[in-house]
Amino acid sequence: MDQLTWRARAKINLGLDVLRKRPDGYHDLRMVMQTIDLYDEITLRVVEPGAAGADVTGDDMTGSGPVGIDVIGDSPVHVDASGDGAAIRLRVQGQDGLVTADSHNLAWRAAELLMKEFDIREGLDITLIKKIPVAAGLAGGSTDAAAVLNGVNQLFELGLGERELMERGVRIGADVPYCIMGGTALAEGIGERLTRLSPAPQAHVLLAKPPIQVSTKFVYSNLRLSDGGAQGIRHPDIDAQVQAIRDGDLYRMAELMGNVLETVTIPVFPVIGEIRAQMMRCGAVGAMMSGSGPTVFGLFDDLGKAKGAYAELSKGELASEVYLTDFYVPEKIATGM
Ligand code: ATP
């Protein structure tokens, strides 16, 4: 095998609680994570040593993936042929150039981490077709890193198990281990302590991202955990939500949705609350901001209602990006492998 294409799926948080700020500046969290079927496509291709730095012509890139030379143009191609053999070449298409195709890209960092550790001398071509909204609370970068770790492990037959990949993933980002695991999970610590849960009861998921940028740093630095009054911090009952998932009770699970970070974002960006309210008016069983936002998701038990809400939000002005998708159960979980 010298090439593979991977779907790197996004996540939402069904519940997000922040327990405390730690002395190292990170926060201790409790989150219920759920993979959704919105994905970036990543094609990895092994090339001869040095060839990752060579110019690529049309036929060279067609391959079995959805990638042709005509889709490369969105970002400059960045090549690192560091001289000691291994070389990575990355190109990114989609999301209007919001993601750079250089060594800051988490997909790149994931490849570099394994290629250095295992002293891989061949070159690696990575093509990333970015569909997950960027800086949106959907773990787009983390899931790309997870896919590349998985892919490099397979392509170069490194023989790393899931746990070993997760141990490496956390060096790239706190959400990467979860993205390697996928499915429904309870994430604790900074997000790296994971407990697999049974698949959440199926729901249609509507995502709407308002046309604003919210940095994760801004959200956490403005979170006042001790302020039970003014900010109205109400901690979601994560344990009860986990139980609702175990019971397969979509309505109870949705009723228990809560994200303490909304106490920071909604007063500053009321549009987040307005999208949530619109989703509920359209018949969502629950709606909430994902992660540190600004994307809002709504869960629907009825496809017709979900499509109606999709149409409403698409024609309105609250959201700049709207997607309709579902919860995703990874194959390894669905088949019990
Ligand atoms: P999280 O939910 O984990 O907080 P997010 O969805 O809010 O993540 P990302 O889409 O992962 O945020 O992007 C955060 C930043 O990471 C972006 O501003 C971008 O510059 C950088 N980044 C690096 N690599 C990637 C990548 N492959 N895809 C998206 N963003 C990336």
Side-chain angles (χ1 to χ4, degrees), residues 94 96 110-111 121 133 138 158 163 245 273 293 329:
D96 294 331
R121 293 300 167 130
L138 301 172
L158 304 181
R163 177 165 289 276
I245 290 169
V329 182

Side-chain angles (χ1 to χ4, degrees), residues 11 99 104-106 128 130 133-142 144 175 216:
K11 64 86 185 154
V99 182
H104 297 294
N105 195 301
L106 300 190
L128 168 58
K130 196 79 211 155
V134 177
L138 301 172
S142 304
D144 292 345
D175 281 347
T216 303

Side-chain angles (χ1 to χ4, degrees), residues 236-313:
D237 189 341
I238 299 288
D239 290 327
Q241 190 177 48
V242 166
Q243 189 55 47
I245 290 169
R246 291 200 170 113
D247 296 341
D249 186 341
L250 172 66
Y251 303 100
R252 179 90 182 119
M253 179 190 88
E255 194 184 307
L256 289 160
M257 279 173 16
N259 180 350
V260 293
L261 302 180
E262 286 182 344
T263 56
V264 179
T265 55
I266 291 183
V268 184
F269 303 106
V271 65
I272 293 170
E274 287 162 27
I275 294 177
R276 226 180 52 177
Q278 180 155 14
M279 287 188 180
M280 294 306 289
R281 277 198 303 276
C282 290
V285 297
M288 191 179 95
M289 183 180 82
S290 183
S292 55
T295 306
V296 176
F297 67 88
L299 302 185
F300 291 82
D301 60 357
D302 178 278
L303 185 57
K305 283 184 195 161
K307 285 183 173 168
Y310 175 87
E312 286 278 307
L313 278 150

